[in-house]
Amino acid sequence: ELVRGNLPTMQRTTLGALVVIDVHARDVLKDLVENNIQSDMDFQWLCQLRYYWENEDVRVRMINTTVDYGYEYLGNSGRLVITPLTDRCMLTLTQALSMKLGGAPAGPAGTGKTETVKDLAKAMGLLCMVTNCGEGMDYQSMGKEIFGLVQCGSWGCVEELKRMRVSWVPGVNAKPGTT
């Protein structure tokens, strides 16, 4: 009744996000019960994004990746519907993160690659800035963008990197401020 009722926009947004998270939690719990998972060391449990309160701080874990929760307030916004493919993508990205690497989700346009990265950042309490490499983007502006992300500890998601000239890629890889 609450979901179908007349709610103010902010409450509807909050409720929608809670429903999405709760439906995913229900599906995960159903799978864990059906597969008789009883150990906290079982792979099916470890591959879930989990939150732990340790030493007065929140830690986010997935498999062998453990990161501090970022506490970045991102406003009241909806959540991405979490599917098995979304779970696998987040698992891959968190494993890359544990190895101090980045990720490059690939696939057709409109399949949710950028939204998955943004939702994972949100789940970790981090800001994710999305940059579209359009016609006006060059290696210097891209370098400044990366430098800013590093300074504030945010994630960066680069879209349409193929639009950037191949000759500019070495300049983007160089230390920002030296080009």
Side-chain angles (χ1 to χ4, degrees):
E1 186 177 312
L2 180 63
V3 175
R4 295 182 191 150
N6 189 12
L7 292 172
T9 304
M10 292 295 281
Q11 288 179 351
R12 180 161 301 282
T13 302
T14 302
L15 188 60
L18 289 173
V19 167
V20 167
I21 292 168
D22 195 44
V23 166
H24 180 255
R26 179 204 63 194
D27 293 344
V28 167
L29 187 59
K30 180 181 170 210
D31 287 343
L32 293 174
V33 169
E34 285 176 356
N35 292 309
N36 198 28
I37 305 303
Q38 297 180 359
S39 170
D40 62 351
M41 296 305 292
D42 193 285
F43 181 77
Q44 280 187 276
W45 170 249
L46 292 174
C47 69
Q48 301 304 316
L49 194 63
R50 306 173 320 279
Y51 300 88
Y52 293 88
W53 181 256
E54 295 176 346
N55 301 322
E56 302 298 316
D57 205 5
V58 177
R59 309 277 288 166
V60 182
R61 291 187 180 165
M62 188 176 237
I63 305 265
N64 62 347
T65 304
T66 301
V67 296
D68 291 330
Y69 186 76
Y71 296 104
E72 182 73 38
Y73 178 68
L74 303 172
N76 190 18
S77 59
R79 293 296 300 257
L80 180 69
V81 174
I82 305 168
T83 65
L85 181 58
T86 310
D87 275 336
R88 283 194 299 270
C89 186
M90 289 183 174
L91 175 66
T92 304
L93 290 170
T94 56
Q95 291 305 289
L97 180 65
S98 73
M99 294 181 274
K100 308 292 186 220
L101 299 171
T111 55
K113 299 175 295 292
T114 300
E115 292 304 315
T116 300
V117 173
K118 287 171 45 181
D119 204 60
L120 179 59
K122 184 189 296 187
M124 292 184 171
L126 300 169
L127 177 65
C128 181
M129 299 295 296
V130 178
T131 302
N132 195 317
C133 292
E135 297 297 319
M137 182 68 73
D138 63 5
Y139 73 92
Q140 289 175 322
S141 58
M142 188 68 178
K144 288 177 183 176
E145 176 109 10
I146 292 170
F147 191 61
L149 290 170
V150 169
Q151 284 183 326
C152 68
S154 298
W155 282 10
C157 185
V158 181
E159 289 189 322
E160 300 297 331
L161 189 60
K162 62 183 174 246
R163 289 187 190 175
M164 188 175 274
R165 291 184 189 169
V166 175
S167 61
W168 290 349
V169 174
V172 172
N173 287 330
K175 182 180 174 186
T178 62
T179 54

